[in-house]
Amino acid sequence: MAFPRGFYWGGATAANQFEGGWNEGGKGDSVADHLTAGTVSSPREFHNQLHPGANYPSHEAVDFYHHYKEDIALMAEMGFRMFRLSINWTRIFPNGDEEEPNREGIEFYRSVFEELKKYHIEPLVTISHYETPYGLMCDYDGWANRKTIDYYMNYVKVLFHEYQGLVKYWLTFNEINSLQMGVGDILAGGLRTKDGPLPGFGASADQKLLQKRYQALHHQFIASAKAVILAHEQYPEYQVGCMVAGGCTYPYTCNPDDVLKAQKDMRMNWYCGDVQARGAYPYFAQSMWDEMGITINQEEGDAETLKAGVVDFYSLSYYMSTCASTDPKVLAAGGNLVFGAKNPYLKASDWGWQIDPKGMRYLLNELYARYQKPIMIVENGLGAVDELIDGQVHDPYRIDYLREHIQQLELAIKDGVDVIAYLPWGCIDLISISTGEMKKRYGFVYVDKNNDGSGTLNRYRKDSFYWFKKVIATNGEDLK
């Protein structure tokens, strides 16, 4: 058996795409609550003032807030051993800078964790997953302001204290390297913005915005390290990890220029990974800053904080690979935070994301060689259009996708990589972060909701539900 005994099988979600109840229980606005629905051809918009009649998908999402017992029972039926979820920061601190937390929000998550415990499902909690408080954006310019570190730590202290005995595994930030990309400005960074279309993944930026992004990212590194230090000093039972958007880049040709570009593009994994898993900026950081014309303002003691706040494990999302080319005529491939040339050897999803299970094995080997820490895959999956017919959803394409990735995961473990969890994304259908659509579905459970917000919210087991249940029951041996 390649998969070790005790391997964590399960699934993953995020509050702003899954939870709903956006203004219930004392919750305040997050930046995600100000994003409209969209499509691939019509980008999501950010509104500082909510517009009457506009569709803001996070407001209801798929209403886990009122369906959590039903949803957790479905996870238990599949045999989940771990469920990754995030806490809505503004459900605990509505504006982000209050002195006292919102007790109703604390008790909601306590109920969720107790329900998971009843079924022996281990929660993996993302502390900040694209849910920066809107108040921190307006009043402080989000993570561009060093004060946000203190507000984040107030939040962390409450979570660590309140959920002792209920939560063991924590992630400090979701896809922390997304702040290096366009969409991260609003969702990950909470940086002040005007009304208008959401910047696309990989959107370019002028020097002033680059300076703000990388300074905000430095503040997140310090916040993450402080959270790790707090856990190690006061809560030794806690395990705290980082979460990086995993990218696998191949040279498009054997032209040395393409090879060098591919090597450089792979740094999207190492820039944040090195800081959080090694405790210092990578060797190439200064040349990278010089190239962008930016300076990272670091206070006395920051280097020591980063060194002391090294994470216990490394987690990542993995959806696709791409190719690096210096030829401007080579067609670009779309995807989750990854851009480059289309690989002629790979198929693509309905949304143009290149499907590359072997790329996951390659990346896992590279990560483990560099960091030598346990690895969790906390996002992986196929966004596709599913049809509900007579209460059934036949999704062999999703089963094929997951089977091929699990096979490569098994080979990576045989290679010697210490992978301890596989948590496919959107285990119960949720709204897409990139487009705000419902029709881009990932889950093993179909949720009856449409792009326009209509639907019953009823849950239906897909064929993949029963397949994944069998995979878990056999610890990955039966993939038929």
Side-chain angles (χ1 to χ4, degrees):
M1 290 176 61
F3 291 98
R5 184 169 296 176
F7 186 82
Y8 285 116
W9 298 96
T13 62
N16 74 88
Q17 297 168 255
F18 188 59
E19 189 175 279
W22 78 287
N23 61 354
E24 297 183 55
K27 181 185 172 298
D29 291 14
S30 75
V31 291
D33 295 326
H34 289 249
L35 285 177
T36 66
T39 63
V40 173
S41 57
S42 179
R44 304 184 74 179
E45 292 186 356
F46 180 85
H47 295 161
N48 277 291
Q49 298 297 323
L50 299 181
H51 297 185
N55 179 11
Y56 300 99
S58 71
H59 288 194
E60 183 181 55
V62 296
D63 200 26
F64 177 74
Y65 189 72
H66 296 105
H67 290 78
Y68 72 90
K69 290 188 177 182
E70 175 187 0
D71 289 343
I72 291 171
L74 286 166
M75 296 173 198
E77 185 181 340
M78 274 187 282
F80 276 25
R81 298 197 65 247
M82 178 173 277
F83 172 48
R84 180 192 175 206
L85 70 161
S86 71
I87 289 180
N88 245 319
W89 189 341
T90 56
R91 202 174 288 288
I92 308 301
F93 288 97
N95 196 69
D97 61 354
E98 293 90 349
E99 291 185 7
E100 297 297 323
N102 171 34
R103 294 303 313 180
E104 194 169 350
I106 290 170
E107 295 310 315
F108 167 71
Y109 290 111
R110 191 186 312 281
S111 298
V112 170
F113 297 143
E114 287 174 346
E115 194 72 12
L116 289 167
K117 188 174 184 178
K118 182 173 79 174
Y119 291 106
H120 307 290
I121 299 173
E122 192 81 52
L124 171 64
V125 176
T126 314
I127 296 169
S128 180
H129 190 139
Y130 298 160
E131 288 135 4
T132 305
Y134 181 67
L136 294 186
M137 168 186 272
C138 294
D139 299 338
Y140 303 94
D141 202 6
W143 282 100
N145 192 327
R146 195 173 173 107
K147 286 182 180 179
T148 301
I149 298 173
D150 296 331
Y151 299 131
Y152 176 85
M153 286 308 299
N154 289 341
Y155 170 50
V156 169
K157 288 172 185 176
V158 169
L159 300 187
F160 282 2
H161 172 72
E162 293 288 345
Y163 301 127
Q164 296 175 78
L166 292 171
V167 179
K168 175 182 177 181
Y169 294 101
W170 303 86
L171 302 176
T172 53
F173 291 91
N174 176 68
E175 292 184 332
I176 192 167
N177 54 340
S178 69
L179 196 47
Q180 298 175 261
M181 324 294 177
V183 72
D185 297 341
I186 296 172
L187 287 169
L191 307 182
R192 287 195 187 105
T193 187
K194 298 178 181 178
D195 282 5
L198 187 69
F201 289 113
S204 60
D206 59 23
Q207 186 177 355
K208 184 177 180 181
L209 182 53
L210 285 172
Q211 173 68 40
K212 184 181 283 191
R213 284 181 186 173
Y214 280 85
Q215 189 63 53
L217 187 52
H218 177 73
H219 294 157
Q220 290 190 350
F221 289 150
I222 298 298
S224 175
K226 286 188 172 186
V228 173
I229 293 168
L230 176 65
H232 289 174
E233 289 180 348
Q234 298 188 25
Y235 306 92
E237 71 276 19
Y238 288 172
Q239 294 282 300
V240 185
C242 62
M243 197 293 206
V244 178
C248 179
T249 305
Y250 312 125
Y252 188 69
T253 71
C254 54
N255 181 332
D257 290 337
D258 286 357
V259 176
L260 285 169
K261 188 174 189 308
Q263 184 184 55
K264 187 175 182 179
D265 289 351
M266 283 290 284
R267 291 176 176 178
M268 71 168 286
N269 301 290
W270 318 140
Y271 182 83
C272 295
D274 280 15
V275 175
Q276 296 188 283
R278 285 178 162 177
Y281 279 102
Y283 73 92
F284 58 79
Q286 188 60 57
S287 65
M288 183 176 159
W289 300 331
D290 291 343
E291 185 178 323
M292 291 186 287
I294 64 174
T295 301
I296 305 301
N297 298 314
Q298 302 189 49
E299 292 191 359
E300 185 177 352
D302 280 2
E304 291 76 14
T305 298
L306 295 178
K307 183 63 70 176
V310 170
V311 295
D312 301 303
F313 63 93
Y314 186 106
S315 80
L316 71 149
S317 58
Y318 177 82
Y319 292 99
M320 61 174 289
S321 65
T322 189
C323 294
S325 174
T326 54
D327 185 350
K329 291 181 283 188
V330 174
L331 293 175
N336 190 43
L337 307 181
V338 184
F339 289 83
K342 290 183 179 179
N343 190 328
Y345 297 96
L346 300 177
K347 297 178 181 178
S349 74
D350 294 338
W351 274 262
W353 296 17
Q354 304 262 274
I355 299 172
D356 183 13
K358 292 180 180 178
M360 185 173 75
R361 178 186 180 187
Y362 171 80
L363 180 59
L364 287 172
N365 273 274
E366 292 294 298
L367 288 168
Y368 195 63
R370 193 175 185 100
Y371 300 125
Q372 296 288 301
K373 289 183 179 292
I375 296 176
M376 292 188 183
I377 298 173
V378 298
E379 289 188 30
N380 173 241
L382 178 69
V385 178
D386 295 332
E387 287 190 71
L388 178 67
I389 301 175
D390 297 329
Q392 295 184 319
V393 176
H394 304 300
D395 56 343
Y397 40 85
R398 180 168 292 108
I399 293 172
D400 289 344
Y401 177 99
L402 293 170
R403 177 191 297 115
E404 292 170 3
H405 281 79
I406 292 172
Q407 287 170 339
Q408 294 301 315
L409 174 57
E410 181 179 12
L411 291 173
I413 292 173
K414 287 181 177 178
D415 291 336
V417 180
D418 184 15
V419 185
I420 61 174
Y422 179 67
L423 312 176
W425 177 245
C427 48
I428 295 174
D429 285 347
L430 40 63
I431 59 172
S432 167
I433 192 64
S434 57
T435 64
E437 295 174 288
M438 266 304 303
K439 74 173 184 178
K440 185 181 183 183
R441 298 176 183 272
Y442 286 88
F444 302 111
V445 175
Y446 183 97
V447 179
D448 181 25
K449 187 172 183 180
N450 303 310
N451 278 0
D452 63 5
S454 63
T456 64
L457 294 174
N458 289 341
R459 272 66 166 156
Y460 300 89
R461 298 164 182 82
K462 303 179 188 179
D463 287 354
S464 57
F465 177 100
Y466 301 102
W467 175 82
F468 198 55
K469 179 179 180 179
K470 179 180 64 175
V471 171
I472 297 173
T474 62
N475 199 31
E477 286 210 6
D478 189 350
L479 299 177
K480 296 179 182 176

